[in-house]
Amino acid sequence: MIEFQHVTKIYKGGKVAVEDVNLSFNKGEFICFIGTSGSGKTTCMRMINRMNEPTKGKILINDKDIKEVNPVELRRKIGYVIQNIGLMPHMTIRENITLVQKLLKVDEQTRQETAEKMIDLVELPREMLDRYPAELSGGQQQRIGVVRALAANQDIILMDEPFGALDPITRDALQDLVKDLQERLGKTIVFVTHDMDEALKLANRIVIMSEGKVIQFDTPENILRSPANEFVEELIGEDRLLQAKPDTTTVGEVMLKNAITITPEKSLREAISLMREKRVDTLLVTDNSKILKGFIDVESIDKMRGKASSVGDILNKDVFYVKEDKLLRDVLQRILKRGLKYVPVVDQKN
Ligand code: ADP
Ligand code: MG
């Protein structure tokens, strides 16, 4: 439904903000752009609704070059929600919700019906329709921003970090709301975030950007299972990477850079100085046959000081034993219960 073909954007002054981007989104998909600040996410969004023009390449919507779509029709198709959504302060909530419809010359009665339908949709009282934005909380205003984008019955909604400034509870509720509305109404949503949790929660597919380029474009599952490079791995974070694998991966298959192996008879003092030296916070304990016996994180070691002298003592008291062929899924459950932060790994090479 939306297609980027070799899209490059060079701003005045020569800044290459977006470079040779090729993407194709389906109708009804929830797409998240994620990437570090300045990676070109906003520029991509703004090119979809022609707030910016590509320097090279083109963008198609329903197989039509957007340059050839007349602006009113484009506005009819595409809604835009930004952070601090910019509700008009001098207009009531009702007027705000129906603003785009008014611009599109939708009749009065339809507009009133829409306003009521929308406020019901986000479960706010209808009395609020006659209030002004300043009389609503930030979270309520953001809700209105979301439905305002839906009110004009646009097929495509662009959302640029819409929930960035909200507290976690409100943000969580609004994520659920957007996801639910998108699924129920079959909207295509293109959503920018720098929060991987948000992207993983919402997206059907994720576009990972760095320095104007698309690094990876795939489903959350595939990105977690096979990140394209170290940048993506970093963006995802180690904990999530490991948690993504439990269904198929055995302990023996996993390699964790951030750990060292040690034998059970080593003293805690030795263990701790080794961990400091190698800058790791997880120990893998193996016997001489190199079968994994357990793993310990630095916090657990600290807690056990005075109660145990060797690494093996801790293992006996506080760490479970695990074999290489154990599924991570099973191991993880036990790790999480124990509040350990890292998954055990055996380095096959040693
Ligand atoms: P993101 O949304 O990922 O943070 P942007 O798309 O806003 O990134 O910006 C990408 C790059 O383009 C940045 O280096 C930014 O400074 C630059 N940029 C954005 N808008 C303009 C502009 N109007 N003129 C010049 N450079 C810009
Ligand atoms: Mg941005």
Side-chain angles (χ1 to χ4, degrees):
M1 178 188 216
I2 305 175
E3 218 178 318
F4 283 65
Q5 291 182 351
H6 301 290
V7 172
T8 293
K9 173 69 187 180
I10 303 169
Y11 283 109
K12 281 192 206 93
K15 172 76 201 170
V16 182
V18 168
E19 194 175 345
D20 195 28
V21 164
N22 294 284
L23 292 166
S24 170
F25 309 146
N26 300 321
K27 185 171 160 49
E29 265 195 307
F30 203 122
I31 300 290
C32 283
F33 276 77
I34 186 165
T36 43
S37 176
S39 56
K41 306 180 298 292
T42 296
T43 303
C44 282
M45 299 279 273
R46 291 169 63 93
M47 287 190 290
I48 297 174
N49 67 358
R50 298 196 68 190
M51 286 160 82
N52 280 338
E53 297 291 335
T55 313
K56 281 183 232 158
K58 57 183 168 183
I59 296 175
L60 312 181
I61 291 182
N62 295 328
D63 299 320
K64 209 167 166 192
D65 189 334
I66 53 173
K67 276 190 173 159
E68 281 145 34
V69 180
N70 95 39
V72 178
E73 199 188 316
L74 204 62
R75 184 178 250 175
R76 217 188 282 278
K77 266 200 178 60
I78 306 177
Y80 194 45
V81 185
I82 52 170
Q83 192 178 317
N84 308 323
I85 41 154
L87 292 178
M88 302 289 173
H90 58 284
M91 289 185 185
T92 64
I93 298 305
R94 184 190 306 277
E95 289 164 338
N96 266 289
I97 292 178
T98 56
L99 179 63
V100 178
Q101 283 191 322
K102 193 167 180 189
L103 294 172
L104 296 172
K105 304 200 167 31
V106 172
D107 67 81
E108 167 78 25
Q109 197 193 329
T110 310
R111 292 201 321 257
Q112 294 320 317
E113 285 167 11
T114 302
E116 286 174 5
K117 201 166 108 198
M118 290 299 137
I119 201 118
D120 291 350
L121 215 47
V122 287
E123 293 171 354
L124 293 174
R126 285 192 181 178
E127 302 88 87
M128 265 187 194
L129 286 174
D130 297 309
R131 292 204 211 155
Y132 288 89
E135 299 168 313
L136 270 59
S137 74
Q140 288 167 342
Q141 288 184 38
Q142 204 68 359
R143 267 167 202 264
I144 299 300
V146 171
V147 289
R148 184 176 62 173
L150 297 171
N153 205 18
Q154 291 144 315
D155 302 331
I156 300 167
I157 318 276
L158 308 177
M159 306 183 92
D160 195 347
E161 309 209 21
F163 308 142
L166 300 173
D167 66 88
I169 293 170
T170 309
R171 185 165 62 221
D172 211 55
L174 280 167
Q175 288 166 346
D176 291 340
L177 171 76
V178 168
K179 185 76 183 158
D180 179 56
L181 290 178
Q182 181 254 347
E183 282 170 359
R184 274 201 283 159
L185 307 175
K187 302 285 178 189
T188 307
I189 295 191
V190 184
F191 190 105
V192 170
T193 179
H194 57 257
D195 175 358
M196 188 48 99
D197 283 319
E198 190 164 65
L200 291 171
K201 175 173 172 181
L202 295 174
N204 298 117
R205 287 194 293 168
I206 297 175
V207 182
I208 296 180
M209 298 214 45
S210 173
E211 295 174 8
K213 297 201 189 84
V214 174
I215 304 298
Q216 193 166 12
F217 174 41
D218 212 330
T219 61
E221 295 75 22
N222 287 342
I223 286 175
L224 286 170
R225 276 168 208 276
S226 31
N229 60 19
E230 278 182 15
F231 172 77
V232 178
E233 283 178 13
E234 208 166 290
L235 211 58
I236 296 169
E238 203 148 42
D239 291 0
R240 279 201 214 91
L241 275 179
L242 291 166
Q243 289 186 27
K245 300 190 189 235
D247 289 344
T248 53
T249 313
T250 63
V251 172
E253 282 171 301
V254 180
M255 308 269 281
L256 184 63
K257 289 181 210 110
N258 190 26
I260 49 172
T261 53
I262 197 165
T263 50
E265 70 276 4
K266 284 272 193 288
S267 75
L268 286 192
R269 192 180 317 140
E270 262 179 284
I272 287 179
S273 72
L274 244 173
M275 290 166 97
R276 293 228 169 98
E277 187 188 318
K278 305 268 184 200
R279 294 161 184 252
V280 301
D281 51 13
T282 308
L283 277 185
L284 311 172
V285 184
T286 70
D287 63 15
N288 293 326
S289 66
K290 301 296 174 203
I291 303 278
L292 184 69
K293 287 292 189 190
F295 62 94
I296 313 171
D297 70 339
V298 73
E299 283 169 35
S300 305
I301 293 184
D302 253 0
K303 267 190 238 140
M304 292 301 284
R305 273 211 255 209
K307 289 184 229 155
S309 57
S310 75
V311 173
D313 279 350
I314 301 189
L315 274 189
N316 291 331
K317 291 200 177 78
D318 200 37
V319 179
F320 66 88
Y321 291 79
V322 62
K323 287 210 193 111
E324 280 177 283
D325 58 357
K326 260 274 189 243
L327 279 177
L328 267 191
R329 179 185 51 219
D330 302 333
V331 175
L332 260 172
Q333 276 176 0
R334 300 166 72 176
I335 296 168
L336 293 176
K337 255 192 214 146
R338 281 167 189 271
L340 297 179
K341 280 192 304 192
Y342 290 92
V343 178
V345 179
V346 176
D347 187 336
Q348 306 269 49
K349 279 178 297 201
N350 297 318

